[in-house]
Amino acid sequence: MLNPLVIICELTHRCPLRCAYCSNPRAAVSKRAELDATMWRSVVEQAAELGVLQAHLSGGEPLLRADLARIAGAAAEAGLYTTLITSGLGAGGASAWLERLEEVVSAGVRAVQISIQDTNPAAAAAIAGRDALARKLEFARRVCELGASLTTNFVLHRENLARLPEFIALSLELGADRVELAHTQYHGWAALNRVALAPTRAQIDSADEVVAEATRRHSAEIEILYVKSDIHSDRAKPCMGGWGQRAIVVDPEGTVLPCHGARSLPLALETVGARSLATIWAQGPAFEAFRGEAWMEEPCRSCSERGHDFGGCRCQALALTGRATATDPTCDRAPDHEHIVAIRRRAEQRPRHRSLLLRTPAGSAGSNGER
């Protein structure tokens, strides 16, 4: 068993956006239940002792935490390369969130990943439930001015794929070191909006060509990370680099998870206050559940790729087949691959109009959809 490389600290589920592709749990952790800064210090210190190298401060929207600089400072002091994953927004005026950005960079945040829903303001607002593009761009420019590394993140779907070249051009203009172009993962609210968000095969083929050409032209200027669409792939992706292999997720109330969506699975989950992080990582039943190969069913059990994709996504397997141990239906060798084929067929039908279901104000405590 390897030591984990990254800890993802979901500091809050609160968020000022209501994104239609939000993948955080719909039953969000309340502000009252969030771990305090002292407990988060313990978490990142334990992570460093375990061999973790990177801390991602995520949410929801971590900028909503008044003690964010304290938490960032604790991660930096523990020797972790610390990244802030943010929408670039808070609940008040822009100046307050720029000041908080300055505080966390001073405290030790070395990289910032900012989500940008679209380069078209109206399209961005339709997805996020709020007109916020101008503020996001102001925030991104300030990241570079402060000397932190900037990653732009775009979640891709059928309504914005035509502007993929603009996403890359904007990232270059902002001076980003990295752009993450990630097709929607259909969990949480994204699953409810699948018909409206799922792209066609032609859109995917065009997007693949755009990314390939941009990579050839701009590889010396910017790193382009492209996460392909599950529904238009015939091979599964390894979950988080392999279940219980490289990553730990800690949610706002301290539940320790092997992946972001693990709460949807029938697992015995533990919290950081119950046992040490090292013990949970090494012996926790949730981490042991799908670690290795013993749990696998056919065709995974005898497949030559089982040590690469680890059977694919357990959350997707459960959502589409009703069984967490099933082969991820993304794989064309899976007995349940027809579920993915059916989703592709529906995407090709291109409904004339499909309204997006946004998170309601009461449910807006969820994630901004980025991982």
Side-chain angles (χ1 to χ4, degrees):
M1 182 181 64
L2 300 171
N3 287 334
L5 294 179
V6 61
I7 184 166
I8 300 163
C9 303
E10 293 185 342
L11 304 182
T12 182
H13 280 162
R14 292 173 286 142
C15 183
L17 301 182
R18 301 189 291 136
C19 293
Y21 48 58
C22 178
S23 60
N24 266 19
R26 280 177 266 164
V29 172
S30 70
K31 181 180 179 180
R32 295 187 305 276
E34 292 172 4
L35 297 183
D36 62 21
T38 300
M39 194 62 195
W40 278 115
R41 175 177 286 277
S42 174
V43 169
V44 295
E45 288 175 347
Q46 289 182 62
E49 291 172 2
L50 186 53
V52 167
L53 301 177
Q54 301 178 31
H56 295 175
L57 307 182
S58 180
E61 179 43 68
L63 287 172
L64 292 174
R65 297 256 333 205
D67 56 1
L68 179 59
R70 286 182 59 197
I71 298 170
E77 289 166 16
L80 304 180
Y81 185 96
T82 305
T83 298
L84 174 66
I85 300 177
T86 176
S87 68
L89 300 174
S95 61
W97 309 111
L98 292 175
E99 290 171 6
R100 187 153 293 173
L101 171 65
E102 293 167 9
E103 290 174 359
V104 299
V105 172
S106 296
V109 163
R110 297 175 61 184
V112 177
Q113 176 179 303
I114 182 169
S115 64
I116 302 175
Q117 281 67 33
D118 209 310
T119 50
N120 178 294
I127 284 289
R130 178 175 175 180
D131 183 4
L133 180 58
R135 281 182 58 177
K136 284 174 173 282
L137 298 184
E138 181 183 7
F139 190 94
R141 293 187 177 99
R142 186 61 182 144
V143 169
C144 294
E145 291 171 359
L146 292 171
S149 176
L150 174 65
T151 295
T152 53
N153 171 274
F154 296 88
V155 177
L156 306 177
H157 50 85
R158 71 190 305 163
E159 299 301 327
N160 70 3
L161 275 170
R163 289 181 290 281
L164 185 51
E166 295 177 30
F167 300 165
I168 297 168
L170 175 62
S171 302
L172 288 164
E173 177 193 331
L174 290 171
D177 297 302
R178 188 169 181 258
V179 55
E180 180 177 308
L181 306 165
H183 282 276
T184 303
Q185 297 181 26
Y186 294 99
H187 306 296
W189 286 79
L192 297 179
N193 285 306
R194 183 188 287 121
V195 173
L197 295 171
T200 65
R201 179 76 253 179
Q203 286 182 300
I204 292 294
D205 290 343
S206 176
D208 291 350
E209 292 176 5
V210 168
V211 172
E213 175 59 23
T215 301
R216 283 192 293 270
R217 292 182 57 193
H218 301 296
S219 60
E221 303 164 77
I222 192 170
E223 179 186 357
I224 299 177
L225 175 62
Y226 184 46
V227 181
K228 294 191 174 185
S229 169
D230 278 352
I231 65 171
H232 288 287
S233 174
D234 288 327
R235 288 292 178 270
K237 300 185 185 76
C239 173
M240 304 287 285
W243 185 275
Q245 300 282 328
R246 313 308 280 163
I248 297 176
V249 180
V250 181
D251 83 357
E253 62 183 348
T255 305
V256 186
L257 305 165
C259 76
H260 295 277
R263 273 189 175 277
S264 69
L265 299 170
L267 299 172
L269 300 174
E270 299 178 82
T271 62
V272 289
R275 294 200 287 176
S276 71
L277 200 61
T279 302
I280 295 172
W281 168 259
Q283 303 172 13
F287 285 84
E288 288 289 279
F290 303 113
R291 185 181 269 154
E293 301 174 4
W295 62 272
M296 291 183 178
E297 301 177 357
E298 293 292 353
C300 289
R301 184 181 290 272
S302 58
C303 179
S304 61
E305 296 186 34
R306 66 187 182 278
H308 168 69
D309 62 29
F310 305 100
C313 177
R314 298 301 86 220
C315 299
Q316 185 157 263
L318 178 65
L320 294 180
T321 74
R323 294 186 303 110
T325 55
T327 299
D328 185 339
T330 298
C331 180
D332 63 3
R333 301 172 187 174
D336 300 295
H337 184 60
E338 175 57 32
H339 288 293
I340 293 293
V341 174
I343 291 170
R344 292 176 189 168
R345 283 198 297 264
R346 287 194 292 271
E348 295 299 328
Q349 292 171 2
R350 300 287 302 183
R352 292 176 60 188
H353 176 71
R354 186 81 178 197
S355 296
L356 287 167
L357 179 62
L358 300 179
R359 296 189 71 99
T360 63
S364 63
S367 161
N368 56 10
E370 285 67 46
R371 295 186 173 184

